[in-house]
Amino acid sequence: MALLIACSSRAEQFAAEVRALDPGLDARIAPDLGRSGDIDTALVWQPPAGLLRSLPNLGLIVSVGAGVDGLLGDPTLPDVPLTRFVDPDLTGRMAEYIALNVLYHHRRMSEFRELQARKVWRYLPEAAAHEVRVGLMGLGVLGMAAAGALKTFGYRLRGWSRRPKVLDGVACASGPAELDAFLAESDILAVLLPLTPETRGILNRGLLRKLSRSGRSALLPGPVLINAGRGGLQVDADIVAALEASELYAASLDVFETEPLPAASPLWAHPRVVVTPHNAAESSPAAIARYALRQMHAHRNGEALENLVDRTRGY
Ligand code: NDP
Ligand code: OXD
């Protein structure tokens, strides 16, 4: 039995980590498959289309990504158990990213950066955290961790998920019927949704116009969008238009419709936009190796797998 590592980046690092943890393991790096019939487990990130289908004894796919939209979009993906990466290391990094960017915009840092560049000493009024309503779209592993981090500062938290939830300290809404009310009560919208047929393009101009722009947090100049889910959730041009029309005050975007973000995108230079290159929560090779081996051994021993993807719901 062998483990195949089929990753468009960091494959050598993952191989070094799994070999360090299990020196006897037969670990191969695509495209060097050897005898393909030996391979029972594949650790993957953006594998070439059709590669997994060519492995006759493949019994388990472990996704390096927490998001599996890319894999599920491959019509040749074999119908074997698919587990996605969930780990405290990645979860902690995402909670940091969301807290960092909520604080950055709530405390009007992009404006202070501009004033500093011009050596202007100017007071700007700021809301207190307990006056700001943060809406979390997606209340899964990462959304709940972000809520936990934001609670420390006292933000007023709302959340939206597919199925109803009850969470301590988070006013929860669910499903399309409760979306508009959730948006109307969100001053800062932080998005940690998976990309599925239901969520594609959800962050469009119509949705952005429904965000709160009044009320207790009038000290925030306007609504803020933070997206660290997937670029396919958003319409980049609508975000630019909403910023230009002052329907949005600011945005932090880690993901884009096209990645890398094209040089021509106006998002790069917008003074109220923070662009990061899809690294809100980089996953550590050591954590991935530990996780992949745990899933592989569980599968070989007929034990339960963690974080199985439900292909019908798409995440
Ligand atoms: P989970 O599967 O744990 O959570 C997904 C959440 O989204 C759940 O609360 C789910 O609702 C909700 N959801 C899904 N579909 C809908 C819908 N149609 N309407 C409303 N809510 C919906 O995922 P994670 O928290 O682990 O990860 C979320 C995403 O973050 C990943 O899919 C990936 O795309 C992205 N990601 C980005 C990274 C980066 O570096 N930028 C790093 C890691 C992940 P319910 O609770 O009802 O199931
Ligand atoms: C992921 C990612 O899905 O890094 O894990 O985007």
Side-chain angles (χ1 to χ4, degrees):
M1 288 189 285
L3 168 73
L4 177 70
I5 299 169
C7 298
S8 59
S9 61
R10 302 192 293 166
E12 298 286 350
Q13 284 180 54
F14 298 147
E17 295 287 351
V18 294
R19 287 176 182 139
L21 287 170
D22 185 349
L25 179 73
D26 183 352
R28 306 173 188 178
I29 302 177
D32 298 325
L33 306 185
R35 229 176 43 172
S36 61
D38 298 339
I39 296 164
D40 67 330
T41 307
L43 174 65
V44 303
W45 174 248
Q46 300 172 332
L51 172 73
L52 299 175
R53 172 61 80 207
S54 75
L55 307 175
N57 295 318
L58 186 69
L60 171 66
I61 302 170
V62 181
S63 167
V64 167
V68 291
D69 45 288
L71 286 170
L72 297 184
D74 175 359
T76 71
L77 190 72
D79 189 14
V80 300
L82 164 62
T83 90
R84 67 190 191 93
F85 183 58
V86 174
D87 186 89
D89 179 86
L90 179 138
T91 303
R93 292 169 194 241
M94 185 59 89
E96 289 166 17
Y97 172 89
I98 298 293
L100 170 72
N101 285 282
V102 167
L103 283 163
Y104 187 86
H105 295 301
H106 150 218
R107 298 301 302 262
R108 306 179 68 163
M109 281 306 297
S110 55
E111 288 172 89
F112 284 121
R113 299 285 302 151
E114 275 173 25
L115 292 170
Q116 180 179 345
R118 292 192 281 123
K119 300 184 182 162
V120 177
W121 182 276
R122 182 180 303 153
Y123 173 86
L124 295 177
E126 294 169 88
H130 67 82
E131 296 173 297
V132 177
R133 297 165 302 179
V134 180
L136 291 155
M137 273 184 115
L139 285 175
V141 176
L142 301 180
M144 286 197 286
L150 293 169
K151 252 185 219 171
T152 318
F153 299 102
Y155 287 106
R156 291 147 48 96
L157 300 177
R158 275 105 183 86
W160 184 71
S161 54
R162 197 169 60 89
R163 298 161 294 184
K165 274 196 160 59
V166 178
L167 293 176
D168 187 34
V170 183
C172 292
S174 61
E178 295 179 14
L179 179 58
D180 286 5
F182 159 80
L183 295 169
E185 293 187 342
S186 296
D187 303 310
I188 298 180
L189 185 69
V191 184
L192 285 167
L193 287 170
L195 180 60
T196 69
E198 284 175 24
T199 61
R200 182 174 290 282
I202 192 168
L203 303 176
N204 54 44
R205 188 95 182 254
L207 179 139
L208 297 175
R209 283 186 171 138
K210 291 176 183 164
L211 287 170
S212 157
R213 43 185 52 75
S214 63
R216 282 172 190 270
S217 59
L219 293 176
L220 198 68
V224 173
L225 171 68
I226 299 169
N227 184 16
R230 277 289 180 271
L233 298 170
Q234 77 197 23
V235 181
D236 289 12
D238 284 9
I239 295 172
V240 173
L243 286 160
E244 293 308 316
S246 298
E247 292 164 7
L248 265 187
Y249 158 60
S252 285
L253 305 171
D254 184 56
V255 289
F256 302 89
E257 281 182 83
T258 303
E259 294 178 10
L261 180 63
S265 170
L267 291 167
W268 279 114
H270 197 287
R272 299 269 179 282
V273 177
V274 177
V275 169
T276 46
H278 198 143
N279 73 339
E282 177 82 351
S283 34
S284 104
I288 286 177
R290 277 194 303 274
Y291 183 82
L293 292 188
R294 200 161 73 236
Q295 304 316 311
M296 184 189 76
H297 289 306
H299 184 250
R300 287 181 181 173
N301 296 331
E303 294 160 7
L305 296 165
E306 296 166 62
N307 308 302
L308 273 174
V309 172
D310 178 336
R311 294 189 187 209
T312 36
R313 67 179 194 188
Y315 63 98

PDB file of all heavy atoms in Angstrom, residues 4 8 12 36 38 41 48 51 89 112 138 169 175 204-205 210 214 236-237 239 242 247 251 279 284 299:
ATOM      1  N   LEU A   4       0.016   8.516  -2.177  1.00  0.00           N
ATOM      2  CA  LEU A   4       0.432   9.396  -3.270  1.00  0.00           C
ATOM      3  C   LEU A   4       0.214  10.849  -2.852  1.00  0.00           C
ATOM      4  O   LEU A   4      -0.867  11.192  -2.352  1.00  0.00           O
ATOM      5  CB  LEU A   4      -0.389   9.116  -4.540  1.00  0.00           C
ATOM      6  CG  LEU A   4      -0.045  10.054  -5.714  1.00  0.00           C
ATOM      7  CD1 LEU A   4       1.350   9.734  -6.264  1.00  0.00           C
ATOM      8  CD2 LEU A   4      -1.085   9.955  -6.821  1.00  0.00           C
ATOM      9  N   SER A   8      -0.128  20.689  -6.192  1.00  0.00           N
ATOM     10  CA  SER A   8       0.475  21.624  -7.140  1.00  0.00           C
ATOM     11  C   SER A   8       1.550  22.483  -6.466  1.00  0.00           C
ATOM     12  O   SER A   8       2.327  23.134  -7.133  1.00  0.00           O
ATOM     13  CB  SER A   8      -0.613  22.517  -7.745  1.00  0.00           C
ATOM     14  OG  SER A   8      -1.259  23.226  -6.713  1.00  0.00           O
ATOM     15  N   GLU A  12       6.974  18.368  -2.041  1.00  0.00           N
ATOM     16  CA  GLU A  12       8.218  17.858  -1.445  1.00  0.00           C
ATOM     17  C   GLU A  12       8.204  18.053   0.072  1.00  0.00           C
ATOM     18  O   GLU A  12       8.666  17.203   0.814  1.00  0.00           O
ATOM     19  CB  GLU A  12       9.440  18.576  -2.034  1.00  0.00           C
ATOM     20  CG  GLU A  12       9.628  18.371  -3.545  1.00  0.00           C
ATOM     21  CD  GLU A  12      10.141  16.962  -3.885  1.00  0.00           C
ATOM     22  OE1 GLU A  12      10.526  16.230  -2.956  1.00  0.00           O
ATOM     23  OE2 GLU A  12      10.121  16.619  -5.088  1.00  0.00           O
ATOM     24  N   SER A  36       0.796   1.948 -10.124  1.00  0.00           N
ATOM     25  CA  SER A  36      -0.346   2.743  -9.623  1.00  0.00           C
ATOM     26  C   SER A  36      -1.294   1.903  -8.767  1.00  0.00           C
ATOM     27  O   SER A  36      -1.987   2.434  -7.902  1.00  0.00           O
ATOM     28  CB  SER A  36      -1.093   3.389 -10.793  1.00  0.00           C
ATOM     29  OG  SER A  36      -1.598   2.390 -11.630  1.00  0.00           O
ATOM     30  N   ASP A  38      -0.630   0.100  -6.339  1.00  0.00           N
ATOM     31  CA  ASP A  38      -0.238   0.078  -4.913  1.00  0.00           C
ATOM     32  C   ASP A  38      -0.899   1.201  -4.121  1.00  0.00           C
ATOM     33  O   ASP A  38      -0.972   1.143  -2.903  1.00  0.00           O
ATOM     34  CB  ASP A  38       1.282   0.306  -4.763  1.00  0.00           C
ATOM     35  CG  ASP A  38       2.100  -0.786  -5.440  1.00  0.00           C
ATOM     36  OD1 ASP A  38       1.542  -1.877  -5.667  1.00  0.00           O
ATOM     37  OD2 ASP A  38       3.287  -0.518  -5.729  1.00  0.00           O
ATOM     38  N   THR A  41      -4.139   5.634  -0.905  1.00  0.00           N
ATOM     39  CA  THR A  41      -4.505   6.930  -0.323  1.00  0.00           C
ATOM     40  C   THR A  41      -3.843   8.042  -1.130  1.00  0.00           C
ATOM     41  O   THR A  41      -2.681   7.894  -1.527  1.00  0.00           O
ATOM     42  CB  THR A  41      -4.010   7.025   1.143  1.00  0.00           C
ATOM     43  OG1 THR A  41      -4.493   5.893   1.861  1.00  0.00           O
ATOM     44  CG2 THR A  41      -4.477   8.299   1.823  1.00  0.00           C
ATOM     45  N   PRO A  48      -3.905  17.095 -11.035  1.00  0.00           N
ATOM     46  CA  PRO A  48      -4.302  17.172 -12.448  1.00  0.00           C
ATOM     47  C   PRO A  48      -5.607  16.398 -12.663  1.00  0.00           C
ATOM     48  O   PRO A  48      -5.775  15.313 -12.095  1.00  0.00           O
ATOM     49  CB  PRO A  48      -3.152  16.486 -13.190  1.00  0.00           C
ATOM     50  CG  PRO A  48      -2.036  16.375 -12.212  1.00  0.00           C
ATOM     51  CD  PRO A  48      -2.608  16.453 -10.829  1.00  0.00           C
ATOM     52  N   LEU A  51      -6.179  12.336 -12.829  1.00  0.00           N
ATOM     53  CA  LEU A  51      -5.122  11.550 -12.174  1.00  0.00           C
ATOM     54  C   LEU A  51      -5.717  10.562 -11.161  1.00  0.00           C
ATOM     55  O   LEU A  51      -5.376   9.373 -11.156  1.00  0.00           O
ATOM     56  CB  LEU A  51      -4.130  12.485 -11.454  1.00  0.00           C
ATOM     57  CG  LEU A  51      -3.105  11.741 -10.591  1.00  0.00           C
ATOM     58  CD1 LEU A  51      -2.073  11.029 -11.460  1.00  0.00           C
ATOM     59  CD2 LEU A  51      -2.393  12.673  -9.619  1.00  0.00           C
ATOM     60  N   ASP A  89      -4.226  24.326  14.010  1.00  0.00           N
ATOM     61  CA  ASP A  89      -3.219  25.249  13.461  1.00  0.00           C
ATOM     62  C   ASP A  89      -3.861  26.171  12.425  1.00  0.00           C
ATOM     63  O   ASP A  89      -3.759  27.400  12.495  1.00  0.00           O
ATOM     64  CB  ASP A  89      -2.094  24.407  12.834  1.00  0.00           C
ATOM     65  CG  ASP A  89      -1.008  25.265  12.219  1.00  0.00           C
ATOM     66  OD1 ASP A  89      -0.095  25.666  12.945  1.00  0.00           O
ATOM     67  OD2 ASP A  89      -1.085  25.526  10.995  1.00  0.00           O
ATOM     68  N   PHE A 112      -6.140  56.221   8.894  1.00  0.00           N
ATOM     69  CA  PHE A 112      -4.975  56.691   9.658  1.00  0.00           C
ATOM     70  C   PHE A 112      -3.681  56.493   8.857  1.00  0.00           C
ATOM     71  O   PHE A 112      -2.758  57.308   8.942  1.00  0.00           O
ATOM     72  CB  PHE A 112      -4.885  55.964  11.011  1.00  0.00           C
ATOM     73  CG  PHE A 112      -5.891  56.469  12.028  1.00  0.00           C
ATOM     74  CD1 PHE A 112      -6.830  55.616  12.594  1.00  0.00           C
ATOM     75  CD2 PHE A 112      -5.902  57.806  12.417  1.00  0.00           C
ATOM     76  CE1 PHE A 112      -7.752  56.081  13.517  1.00  0.00           C
ATOM     77  CE2 PHE A 112      -6.823  58.283  13.347  1.00  0.00           C
ATOM     78  CZ  PHE A 112      -7.753  57.414  13.899  1.00  0.00           C
ATOM     79  N   GLY A 138     -21.346  31.925   7.437  1.00  0.00           N
ATOM     80  CA  GLY A 138     -20.640  30.661   7.597  1.00  0.00           C
ATOM     81  C   GLY A 138     -20.286  30.497   9.058  1.00  0.00           C
ATOM     82  O   GLY A 138     -19.516  31.284   9.616  1.00  0.00           O
ATOM     83  N   GLY A 169     -23.728  33.618  22.678  1.00  0.00           N
ATOM     84  CA  GLY A 169     -23.168  34.935  22.346  1.00  0.00           C
ATOM     85  C   GLY A 169     -23.229  35.299  20.873  1.00  0.00           C
ATOM     86  O   GLY A 169     -22.671  36.312  20.451  1.00  0.00           O
ATOM     87  N   GLY A 175     -30.462  30.063   6.402  1.00  0.00           N
ATOM     88  CA  GLY A 175     -31.245  29.900   5.171  1.00  0.00           C
ATOM     89  C   GLY A 175     -31.571  31.210   4.477  1.00  0.00           C
ATOM     90  O   GLY A 175     -31.458  32.285   5.073  1.00  0.00           O
ATOM     91  N   ASN A 204     -22.686  39.874  -4.109  1.00  0.00           N
ATOM     92  CA  ASN A 204     -22.875  40.742  -5.275  1.00  0.00           C
ATOM     93  C   ASN A 204     -23.418  42.095  -4.820  1.00  0.00           C
ATOM     94  O   ASN A 204     -23.654  42.317  -3.637  1.00  0.00           O
ATOM     95  CB  ASN A 204     -23.810  40.062  -6.292  1.00  0.00           C
ATOM     96  CG  ASN A 204     -25.110  39.649  -5.623  1.00  0.00           C
ATOM     97  OD1 ASN A 204     -25.681  40.415  -4.845  1.00  0.00           O
ATOM     98  ND2 ASN A 204     -25.580  38.443  -5.899  1.00  0.00           N
ATOM     99  N   ARG A 205     -23.630  42.986  -5.760  1.00  0.00           N
ATOM    100  CA  ARG A 205     -24.037  44.360  -5.426  1.00  0.00           C
ATOM    101  C   ARG A 205     -25.345  44.378  -4.627  1.00  0.00           C
ATOM    102  O   ARG A 205     -25.498  45.138  -3.665  1.00  0.00           O
ATOM    103  CB  ARG A 205     -24.180  45.156  -6.722  1.00  0.00           C
ATOM    104  CG  ARG A 205     -24.415  46.643  -6.550  1.00  0.00           C
ATOM    105  CD  ARG A 205     -23.132  47.402  -6.635  1.00  0.00           C
ATOM    106  NE  ARG A 205     -23.310  48.826  -6.421  1.00  0.00           N
ATOM    107  CZ  ARG A 205     -23.265  49.752  -7.374  1.00  0.00           C
ATOM    108  NH1 ARG A 205     -23.051  49.393  -8.629  1.00  0.00           N
ATOM    109  NH2 ARG A 205     -23.411  51.028  -7.086  1.00  0.00           N
ATOM    110  N   LYS A 210     -27.678  45.547   0.979  1.00  0.00           N
ATOM    111  CA  LYS A 210     -28.560  45.196   2.108  1.00  0.00           C
ATOM    112  C   LYS A 210     -27.846  45.294   3.449  1.00  0.00           C
ATOM    113  O   LYS A 210     -28.469  45.117   4.496  1.00  0.00           O
ATOM    114  CB  LYS A 210     -29.093  43.770   1.917  1.00  0.00           C
ATOM    115  CG  LYS A 210     -30.063  43.667   0.765  1.00  0.00           C
ATOM    116  CD  LYS A 210     -30.495  42.235   0.538  1.00  0.00           C
ATOM    117  CE  LYS A 210     -31.423  42.158  -0.670  1.00  0.00           C
ATOM    118  NZ  LYS A 210     -31.578  40.786  -1.160  1.00  0.00           N
ATOM    119  N   SER A 214     -26.606  52.180   9.209  1.00  0.00           N
ATOM    120  CA  SER A 214     -27.064  53.148  10.209  1.00  0.00           C
ATOM    121  C   SER A 214     -27.123  52.438  11.557  1.00  0.00           C
ATOM    122  O   SER A 214     -26.803  51.269  11.659  1.00  0.00           O
ATOM    123  CB  SER A 214     -28.454  53.654   9.845  1.00  0.00           C
ATOM    124  OG  SER A 214     -29.351  52.566   9.874  1.00  0.00           O
ATOM    125  N   ASP A 236     -16.085  40.544  -8.106  1.00  0.00           N
ATOM    126  CA  ASP A 236     -15.071  41.584  -7.850  1.00  0.00           C
ATOM    127  C   ASP A 236     -15.560  42.959  -8.320  1.00  0.00           C
ATOM    128  O   ASP A 236     -15.422  43.964  -7.616  1.00  0.00           O
ATOM    129  CB  ASP A 236     -13.757  41.258  -8.578  1.00  0.00           C
ATOM    130  CG  ASP A 236     -13.002  40.068  -7.986  1.00  0.00           C
ATOM    131  OD1 ASP A 236     -13.587  39.345  -7.160  1.00  0.00           O
ATOM    132  OD2 ASP A 236     -11.832  39.855  -8.362  1.00  0.00           O
ATOM    133  N   ALA A 237     -16.134  43.009  -9.530  1.00  0.00           N
ATOM    134  CA  ALA A 237     -16.546  44.302 -10.101  1.00  0.00           C
ATOM    135  C   ALA A 237     -17.640  44.945  -9.251  1.00  0.00           C
ATOM    136  O   ALA A 237     -17.700  46.180  -9.124  1.00  0.00           O
ATOM    137  CB  ALA A 237     -17.046  44.110 -11.533  1.00  0.00           C
ATOM    138  N   ILE A 239     -17.909  44.677  -6.020  1.00  0.00           N
ATOM    139  CA  ILE A 239     -17.267  45.209  -4.798  1.00  0.00           C
ATOM    140  C   ILE A 239     -16.644  46.564  -5.121  1.00  0.00           C
ATOM    141  O   ILE A 239     -16.801  47.537  -4.372  1.00  0.00           O
ATOM    142  CB  ILE A 239     -16.222  44.210  -4.258  1.00  0.00           C
ATOM    143  CG1 ILE A 239     -16.920  42.926  -3.805  1.00  0.00           C
ATOM    144  CG2 ILE A 239     -15.417  44.830  -3.113  1.00  0.00           C
ATOM    145  CD1 ILE A 239     -15.981  41.795  -3.423  1.00  0.00           C
ATOM    146  N   ALA A 242     -19.420  49.087  -5.490  1.00  0.00           N
ATOM    147  CA  ALA A 242     -20.013  49.431  -4.185  1.00  0.00           C
ATOM    148  C   ALA A 242     -19.089  50.361  -3.405  1.00  0.00           C
ATOM    149  O   ALA A 242     -19.549  51.283  -2.726  1.00  0.00           O
ATOM    150  CB  ALA A 242     -20.298  48.161  -3.390  1.00  0.00           C
ATOM    151  N   GLU A 247     -21.291  52.603  -1.010  1.00  0.00           N
ATOM    152  CA  GLU A 247     -22.185  51.609  -0.404  1.00  0.00           C
ATOM    153  C   GLU A 247     -21.381  50.699   0.524  1.00  0.00           C
ATOM    154  O   GLU A 247     -21.928  50.059   1.408  1.00  0.00           O
ATOM    155  CB  GLU A 247     -22.861  50.772  -1.499  1.00  0.00           C
ATOM    156  CG  GLU A 247     -23.844  51.593  -2.318  1.00  0.00           C
ATOM    157  CD  GLU A 247     -24.233  50.937  -3.627  1.00  0.00           C
ATOM    158  OE1 GLU A 247     -23.854  49.782  -3.879  1.00  0.00           O
ATOM    159  OE2 GLU A 247     -24.902  51.622  -4.425  1.00  0.00           O
ATOM    160  N   ALA A 251     -12.950  47.079   2.482  1.00  0.00           N
ATOM    161  CA  ALA A 251     -12.985  45.619   2.309  1.00  0.00           C
ATOM    162  C   ALA A 251     -11.615  45.033   2.583  1.00  0.00           C
ATOM    163  O   ALA A 251     -10.587  45.688   2.348  1.00  0.00           O
ATOM    164  CB  ALA A 251     -13.427  45.265   0.884  1.00  0.00           C
ATOM    165  N   ASN A 279      -3.789  33.807   1.614  1.00  0.00           N
ATOM    166  CA  ASN A 279      -3.007  33.173   2.701  1.00  0.00           C
ATOM    167  C   ASN A 279      -3.545  33.554   4.075  1.00  0.00           C
ATOM    168  O   ASN A 279      -2.800  33.633   5.036  1.00  0.00           O
ATOM    169  CB  ASN A 279      -1.512  33.488   2.579  1.00  0.00           C
ATOM    170  CG  ASN A 279      -1.185  34.928   2.946  1.00  0.00           C
ATOM    171  OD1 ASN A 279      -2.075  35.784   2.922  1.00  0.00           O
ATOM    172  ND2 ASN A 279       0.055  35.194   3.286  1.00  0.00           N
ATOM    173  N   SER A 284       0.135  24.375   7.891  1.00  0.00           N
ATOM    174  CA  SER A 284       1.534  23.972   8.082  1.00  0.00           C
ATOM    175  C   SER A 284       1.741  22.552   7.558  1.00  0.00           C
ATOM    176  O   SER A 284       0.935  21.655   7.811  1.00  0.00           O
ATOM    177  CB  SER A 284       1.925  24.097   9.550  1.00  0.00           C
ATOM    178  OG  SER A 284       1.981  22.833  10.157  1.00  0.00           O
ATOM    179  N   HIS A 299      -8.376   4.698   7.858  1.00  0.00           N
ATOM    180  CA  HIS A 299      -9.006   4.039   6.706  1.00  0.00           C
ATOM    181  C   HIS A 299      -8.499   2.611   6.553  1.00  0.00           C
ATOM    182  O   HIS A 299      -9.280   1.675   6.359  1.00  0.00           O
ATOM    183  CB  HIS A 299      -8.726   4.850   5.439  1.00  0.00           C
ATOM    184  CG  HIS A 299      -9.421   4.306   4.240  1.00  0.00           C
ATOM    185  ND1 HIS A 299      -8.752   3.682   3.203  1.00  0.00           N
ATOM    186  CD2 HIS A 299     -10.738   4.247   3.932  1.00  0.00           C
ATOM    187  CE1 HIS A 299      -9.624   3.290   2.307  1.00  0.00           C
ATOM    188  NE2 HIS A 299     -10.834   3.619   2.711  1.00  0.00           N
TER     189      HIS A 299
END
